[in-house]
Amino acid sequence: MSRALHLLLEQLDNKERKAAADLGAAQLQLQQLEQQQQTLSQYQRNYSEEFQRRGREGLTSHQFGHFQGFINKLEAAQEQQQDGLRQARQQLEQTRTDWMAVRARKQAIEKLLEREAERKQVESNRQEQKMMDNMAIYRFYNQKKR
């Protein structure tokens, strides 16, 4: 049983390392998307401010249409980015859940192996004590015979 548990523990250790790497990758992906979102938001604010500034100075209908069309495209890009962020957050949570499940299984197997080692140690100590007692009895009887 112990050999099988050691093999299982090794497999779970590999799975845990992979799950931890996946979790790190998901966190990095989310951070990158959040950074992109911030950059896009800042660009949209700057562009809107430029539109307002130029609007006060006077815009032709063509320029107005161009600014408004581009702002609409930026808003659509923002919505797509928000969808991507939602998906990345869900992926991160799923990856975290998967990692925690593998980790819990690994810890359970480690606990089983630890208990098995403790049981073997107790049994070994008991055997050693029995052997010492038998040797003491043997010496006692041998000394009495003399």
Side-chain angles (χ1 to χ4, degrees):
M1 178 174 118
S2 180
R3 175 82 175 127
L5 287 178
H6 281 288
L7 287 173
L8 180 58
L9 181 62
E10 188 177 318
Q11 288 175 345
L12 288 172
D13 191 47
N14 290 335
K15 282 184 180 181
E16 182 186 25
R17 274 196 294 274
K18 183 186 179 315
D22 291 346
L23 179 59
Q27 288 171 329
L28 182 61
Q29 175 72 18
L30 180 60
Q31 288 172 351
Q32 289 172 343
L33 288 172
E34 286 172 339
Q35 181 62 41
Q36 288 173 0
Q37 175 66 29
Q38 290 173 355
T39 301
L40 186 59
S41 292
Q42 183 62 41
Y43 183 71
Q44 184 180 17
R45 277 191 299 277
N46 292 346
Y47 197 80
S48 294
E49 289 170 5
E50 177 67 15
F51 174 58
Q52 290 173 2
R53 186 187 65 75
R54 302 256 322 258
R56 285 189 293 267
E57 296 172 1
L59 289 171
T60 65
S61 62
H62 175 70
Q63 290 172 325
F64 180 81
H66 175 73
F67 270 101
Q68 193 59 44
F70 192 68
I71 288 174
N72 290 341
K73 287 180 182 179
L74 286 174
E75 287 173 356
Q78 286 260 26
E79 289 175 17
Q80 285 180 332
Q81 191 71 22
Q82 286 296 332
D83 288 343
L85 280 169
R86 275 191 291 280
Q87 290 174 358
R89 285 184 184 109
Q90 288 171 350
Q91 180 64 35
L92 177 62
E93 286 308 310
Q94 182 60 51
T95 305
R96 182 178 286 122
T97 300
D98 293 346
W99 170 71
M100 289 173 63
V102 170
R103 187 166 187 233
R105 275 189 78 198
K106 180 184 167 194
Q107 287 174 334
I109 298 300
E110 287 172 337
K111 190 68 172 172
L112 279 173
L113 286 170
E114 184 180 303
R115 286 181 184 160
E116 178 68 15
E118 288 172 0
R119 186 193 63 74
K120 284 181 179 180
Q121 185 62 46
V122 166
E123 182 61 31
S124 175
N125 291 346
R126 190 176 296 130
Q127 293 273 342
E128 186 177 336
Q129 185 62 46
K130 185 176 180 182
M131 187 175 70
M132 298 291 273
D133 290 348
N134 286 339
M135 286 178 65
I137 291 170
Y138 178 75
R139 282 188 193 142
F140 178 75
Y141 282 122
N142 276 342
Q143 285 177 358
K144 265 194 156 185
K145 286 184 179 180
R146 292 183 191 173

